[in-house]
Amino acid sequence: GAVVSQHPSWVICKSGTSVKIECRSLDFQATTMFWYRQFPKQSLMLMATSNEGSKATYEQGVEKDKFLINHASLTLSTLTVTSAHPEDSSFYICSAAGQLTKEQYFGPGTRLTVT
Amino acid sequence: SQELEQSPQSLIVQEGKNLTINCTSSKTLYGLYWYKQKYGEGLIFLMMLQKGGEEKSHEKITAKLDEKKQQSSLHITASQPSHAGIYLCGAEAPGTYKYIFGTGTRLKVLA
């Protein structure tokens, strides 16, 4: 149980375009989902926390207008990188937490390359 | 804010050797998680520790949380090339659902 998927697993886009990454909890309802970013040889950095049906809470230094997060249902959250630039190239990982436990279940990640 | 420092940052060991990775917190830990990650892939959950003095084992990996709940160690016995990867400790930020992650330890096991 507690499987989280991400789609796509990797994406290449041109500078200036927008990219949407999906995070799905496959076998449980996720009231809270988290989005992380990981640069090469670095740890995970939390970008934002999203609760189903409400606005996401962004960490300090994360541009909310650039990284749009939508958590429209209990099984799906999306991260849209708007007007992507090469410096947005990174590994993005989502996680999902259920209603009763604080434990987070992680997706396999999405590698974004902006050319 | 709480910070997690891991040591060493990187480690190269010969196959069959034992090794230990440490995770030190600036504040009391409430829920300490160990994960393994191969670069470019997702996190593999290893173990979770909550109580001071708790110790858990899975196959050749043992994790401990000290009595004061500010430090955890991950010990691998008789390491194998399959143990290679990045090891991350993570902890629940008090009063929130957020996790903070340690700085990571890159392990390489030479065959």
Side-chain angles (χ1 to χ4, degrees):
Chain A
V3 178
V4 176
S5 69
Q6 278 185 244
H7 178 79
S9 55
W10 60 270
V11 57
I12 302 173
C13 70
K14 291 188 176 181
S15 188
T17 61
S18 295
V19 175
K20 182 185 284 188
I21 302 170
E22 293 184 347
C23 176
R24 292 182 185 272
S25 57
L26 299 184
D27 52 2
F28 69 103
Q29 293 186 326
T31 49
T32 307
M33 286 185 169
F34 303 85
W35 287 96
Y36 297 84
R37 184 173 181 176
Q38 186 179 32
F39 289 107
K41 299 186 179 181
Q42 292 189 25
S43 190
L44 276 69
M45 296 295 293
L46 179 65
M47 298 174 66
T49 303
S50 74
N51 291 292
E52 185 264 337
S54 61
K55 289 184 179 180
T57 303
Y58 291 81
E59 295 299 301
Q60 195 171 12
V62 178
E63 298 176 60
K64 58 180 68 175
D65 293 330
K66 180 161 189 64
F67 298 101
L68 300 179
I69 291 171
N70 184 277
H71 192 162
S73 77
L74 286 171
T75 58
L76 174 65
S77 176
T78 59
L79 168 69
T80 301
V81 183
T82 62
S83 187
H85 290 285
E87 56 266 30
D88 297 325
S89 299
S90 190
F91 192 58
Y92 294 87
I93 301 179
C94 73
S95 70
Q99 295 173 313
L100 301 177
T101 176
K102 289 187 178 182
E103 185 170 352
Q104 295 182 27
Y105 302 96
F106 288 83
T110 296
R111 172 150 308 285
L112 169 64
T113 302
V114 184
T115 61
Chain B
S1 61
Q2 188 171 15
E3 293 182 352
L4 297 179
E5 187 73 31
Q6 283 183 239
S7 63
Q9 283 188 320
S10 64
L11 194 54
I12 302 174
V13 300
Q14 202 69 39
E15 183 178 3
K17 295 293 185 184
N18 302 337
L19 62 105
T20 300
I21 299 168
N22 293 303
C23 175
T24 303
S25 173
S26 57
K27 297 183 181 180
T28 301
L29 292 162
Y30 296 98
L32 187 283
Y33 300 82
W34 281 101
Y35 296 92
K36 179 186 173 185
Q37 183 188 30
K38 290 196 179 290
Y39 180 66
E41 298 182 13
L43 276 63
I44 300 169
F45 171 77
L46 296 175
M47 272 169 276
M48 179 203 175
L49 305 166
Q50 278 189 308
K51 300 176 184 176
E54 187 175 7
E55 179 177 321
K56 288 185 178 178
S57 293
H58 177 68
E59 297 180 345
K60 294 184 177 180
I61 300 176
T62 300
K64 299 178 186 178
L65 182 61
D66 74 341
E67 289 288 347
K68 293 183 179 179
K69 294 172 53 173
Q70 283 198 266
Q71 186 169 44
S72 178
S73 61
L74 185 82
H75 184 79
I76 300 177
T77 304
S79 59
Q80 299 170 345
S82 60
H83 287 126
I86 303 166
Y87 288 82
L88 291 163
C89 63
E92 298 168 10
T96 76
Y97 279 80
K98 299 179 184 179
Y99 280 15
I100 54 170
F101 282 91
T103 45
T105 296
R106 303 178 80 85
L107 171 64
K108 189 171 184 178
V109 180
L110 302 176

